[in-house]
Amino acid sequence: GAGVSQSPRYKVTKRGQDVALRCDPISGHVSLYWYRQALGQGPEFLTYFNYEAQQDKSGLPNDRFSAERPEGSISTLTIQRTEQRDSAMYRCASSLTSGAGQETQYFGPGTRLLVL
Amino acid sequence: LAKTTQPISMDSYEGQEVNITCSHNNIATNDYITWYQQFPSQGPRFIIQGYKTKVTNEVASLFIPADRKSSTLSLPRVSLSDTAVYYCLVTTGGFKTIFGAGTRLFVKA
């Protein structure tokens, strides 16, 4: 595809349910990032992958949040036992390389999660 | 990671040059300075990146003094469509990326 895609674009769920958010990065991009963005705030880093390896998950709020990228391409962010405070826009980004701070991150359209 | 500080908001008029300054006093030797633009309901979009001195592309210029403790994003002759949030980041390749709250630029007719 031409850009980063995310699905679903919108997700409404009830408190206590598990949700899985999918990110399909630009083909060939090595690095993949997950962010959470509250209304009026900047993106908040959650986790980062280099190929299939999760290099940094220090931004995951708690152990209900997990992410994987098993084949180094598509990634899934899973939130277990959702809570209302998890409601936010979840954004994924990918970059061609992972070195030296020069890489450009390309963002997807995001998944708007609403927990009732 | 170097923390960045930038104005919360700025107003301008169409056709004016807009300069947004970002402070990053603790920038490390390996850090690059990157600016992103975000429109409502869209993800951030890369604008420009630099390490030192001046960088210019078709969208903006980035001025970085010798000590690299600050940087200035310059948008020439803004239009209404430049109304957006602008984020200044320092990036060290493949690590946690901190966006901050950004600067909300509002361009008026």
Side-chain angles (χ1 to χ4, degrees), chain A residues 35-106:
Chain A
Y35 296 89
R36 179 171 65 176
Q37 187 168 22
L39 200 61
Q41 301 295 317
E44 172 194 9
F45 172 87
L46 295 178
T47 188
Y48 155 76
F49 290 85
N50 188 26
Y51 296 102
E52 72 281 0
Q54 191 171 19
Q55 300 285 357
D56 188 337
K57 56 181 181 179
S58 63
L60 295 176
N62 51 60
D63 60 8
R64 295 187 296 107
F65 287 72
S66 63
E68 62 176 7
R69 194 186 184 198
E71 298 179 358
S73 180
I74 294 170
S75 177
T76 303
L77 176 70
T78 301
I79 309 174
Q80 294 180 313
R81 304 179 303 282
T82 52
E83 301 178 4
Q84 289 182 329
R85 59 176 173 161
D86 299 332
S87 297
M89 177 70 83
Y90 289 83
R91 297 196 186 275
C92 171
S94 69
S95 64
L96 181 61
T97 61
S98 64
Q102 293 176 279
E103 68 280 2
T104 298
Q105 294 185 33
Y106 296 86

Side-chain angles (χ1 to χ4, degrees), chain B residues 5-61:
Chain B
T5 303
Q6 53 184 124
I8 294 174
S9 65
M10 294 181 70
D11 288 346
S12 182
Y13 288 92
E14 281 190 294
Q16 290 188 332
E17 178 184 78
V18 171
N19 296 308
I20 306 174
T21 297
C22 177
S23 297
H24 26 81
N25 291 317
N26 298 321
I27 191 168
T29 302
N30 295 334
D31 287 336
Y32 280 76
I33 299 156
T34 310
W35 286 79
Y36 283 82
Q37 174 192 56
Q38 186 174 24
F39 298 113
S41 302
Q42 295 185 24
R45 182 176 72 104
F46 173 88
I47 302 176
I48 197 166
Q49 183 180 74
Y51 184 79
K52 61 180 179 180
T53 64
K54 177 184 175 182
V55 180
T56 298
N57 61 22
E58 65 277 5
V59 176
S61 294

Side-chain angles (χ1 to χ4, degrees), chain A residues 13-25:
Chain A
T13 191
K14 292 183 179 179
R15 186 179 57 185
Q17 298 294 307
D18 298 350
V19 295
L21 311 181
R22 172 183 165 132
C23 173
D24 198 342

Side-chain angles (χ1 to χ4, degrees), chain A residues 22-39:
Chain A
R22 172 183 165 132
C23 173
D24 198 342
I26 294 173
S27 178
H29 276 200
V30 167
S31 297
L32 186 147
Y33 305 77
W34 281 100
Y35 296 89
R36 179 171 65 176
Q37 187 168 22
L39 200 61

